[in-house]
Amino acid sequence: MMMKNAVVAVALAFCLVSVSAAQEQVAVKDIAIDKLLDGVRVTIACTGIPNVSSFASQDPTAVVVDVMDATEDLDTKRFESKFYPVSAVTVEPSEATEGVRIAIRLDDMVDYKVTREGELVVVDLGATPVTPAPVPPDDPFANKRLTLYVKDADLPDVLRMIASQFDIDVLMTQDVKSVVTVRLNDVPLRTALNALLKAGLCNMVMEADNIILVKPIKKEMYGEFDTRLFDLDYVEAEDAAKAIDDVLTDDGKAEVTYRRVADGAGSERSGVLVVTDIPEALDKAAAILAELDRPVPQIAIEAKFIETTHTSEDRFGINWTLRASATGADVGEWEVGEGLPIIVNNYLIGTVSVADMNASLEIMASRGKSRTLANPRTVTLDNQRSLMTMGIDVPLREISEGEGGRITVTWRTRSVPIELEVTPHVTASGDVTMHIRPTVEAITGWVGTADDQQPIVARREAETQVTVKDGEAVVIGGLVRDEETRAIGKIPLLGDIPIIGHLFKKTAIRHEKNDLMIFVIPHVLPMQG
């Protein structure tokens, strides 16, 4: 009795499954052709929600709609049309999709749009003829577009349908078994295939004669990897390799090499990147490198080293628009006075327009209180260091005692430089951010005997980062040198008498204060090409 009940239950379940499968079967039950104000609409009515793919055919001229895993329940297989550009609609079975193929025959190719609205497939066609672009024979994807609406469809079935529609050769490995749900509306065929395969955890490898091999992503095959060489003109090869590291697969690699004409001929900036990976990763790497390897802006750096003797009122009377910010441990704390520029390690840092700078310098020069020590100019690339140096070499005598008490006198030079290091960067807004590091040494006095004097050298160094507009001047001042000159006049003989000799002498003391000011003016050069 129990065995009999089990058999009945199995049979009943089988019947229910069969009925359910029969209920899920999609059938094309009606086709309507209607005239619109700006074209024609073809409506395909189905029982159930259909999986649909469409494409344009040039021979014959038609818009083809494939309904997957479907049957047709129509009284006729051809529907005539009186509305341009549709001449007729034909229905026939499709072996590739195991469904129904509906061809909307056209007098001329026109723009069209296919949409799925529940159980209806709607094809809207325009009334203006369009000229199809020529298809290159070596590119099976060129000028081809795909519209695809599928739900819970087997990926191999979808690929077989696309291969049949676009007449492309597709091979699939046995382990391509994904189920996909896709909605693509008028997408380029290559883009649509990549998205479809990515959804199914697969990728494609282009073989000879445009044969497409589809396989799971994690499965490696001979010939899948390709190698490309990227010549780099502006970006460092090591930086480019780091930039594309995230888009390469686990087995992909990027190797850095350089082309040289001879030893020491040129910089390592002219590099070559050799990348080996799957085609999809190579395409992503190529897109990133195209963005990175662009002409680098060039900045002309003009510096003025001005020695002034003007008063502090003159020095602080310039209306500076301050934009300075300091970086680095050597800068120290800011000391900001009301209405004054920033002072860092006795340096004054601010910005001023070139017109105001020239006016101030002309006023000081007319008073005889300033002179230009140097006006160097240089050109550097964006984010590249530029170094300008000026100074004096002081001869110093060195006395050494050799064997036998022999005295040897030699001379050496001691450099006392003024050094300015500038690293500019052009921002997206066209401003120039400069990392500036001035180093100033000056002789403030001498020590030692009259025959063996050694200089006392004061060294000052600062580091700052300033953002200015193109052509605006950065002002750095603060090397103040106080000199005291004593001139003694006396009456001969009487001025040398002890005790009372000072009555016949006159001492004139003159104080002079010199201030070295450095003006840095960046100019962004127009890019060539």
Side-chain angles (χ1 to χ4, degrees), residues 402-480:
E403 296 181 358
R406 183 178 179 180
I407 303 300
T408 303
V409 178
T410 59
W411 292 87
R412 66 179 178 87
T413 59
R414 166 60 159 94
S415 177
V416 183
I418 298 174
E419 187 175 274
L420 180 63
E421 179 183 317
V422 181
T423 304
H425 169 64
V426 181
T427 65
S429 61
D431 295 339
V432 181
T433 297
M434 293 186 292
H435 182 271
I436 302 177
R437 184 178 181 180
T439 302
V440 180
E441 294 185 2
I443 298 175
T444 59
W446 298 84
V447 295
T449 64
D451 295 334
D452 186 20
Q453 287 191 333
Q454 299 293 325
I456 302 173
V457 179
R459 176 185 175 91
R460 289 185 180 177
E461 184 176 357
E463 187 172 356
T464 185
Q465 185 168 309
V466 188
T467 299
V468 297
K469 296 185 180 302
D470 183 10
E472 191 175 26
V474 178
V475 186
I476 302 174
L479 178 63
V480 179

Side-chain angles (χ1 to χ4, degrees), residues 362-390:
E362 288 176 3
I363 292 175
M364 290 186 289
S366 65
R367 299 177 182 175
K369 295 182 178 182
S370 71
R371 64 191 181 101
T372 301
L373 299 182
N375 187 193
R377 295 176 176 87
T378 186
V379 177
T380 185
L381 294 174
D382 189 45
N383 290 320
Q384 296 297 313
R385 185 176 70 102
S386 173
L387 183 63
M388 291 170 278
T389 303
M390 61 169 290

Side-chain angles (χ1 to χ4, degrees), residues 38 134 227 272 296 307 309 355 390 397 405 428 464 485 488 503 513:
D38 53 353
T227 299
V272 177
V296 180
E307 189 177 55
T309 57
M390 61 169 290
R397 189 173 71 164
T464 185
T485 305
I488 301 177
L503 298 175
K513 178 181 289 188

Side-chain angles (χ1 to χ4, degrees), residues 225-228 248-249 251-254 274-278 282:
F225 280 75
D226 196 3
T227 299
R228 295 188 197 175
L248 299 181
T249 63
D251 296 322
K253 61 180 180 179
V274 183
V275 185
T276 301
D277 211 325
I278 62 176
L282 291 176

Side-chain angles (χ1 to χ4, degrees), residues 11-25:
L12 181 60
F14 179 80
C15 292
L16 290 175
V17 171
S18 300
V19 172
S20 176
Q23 290 176 347
E24 294 177 357
Q25 181 70 47

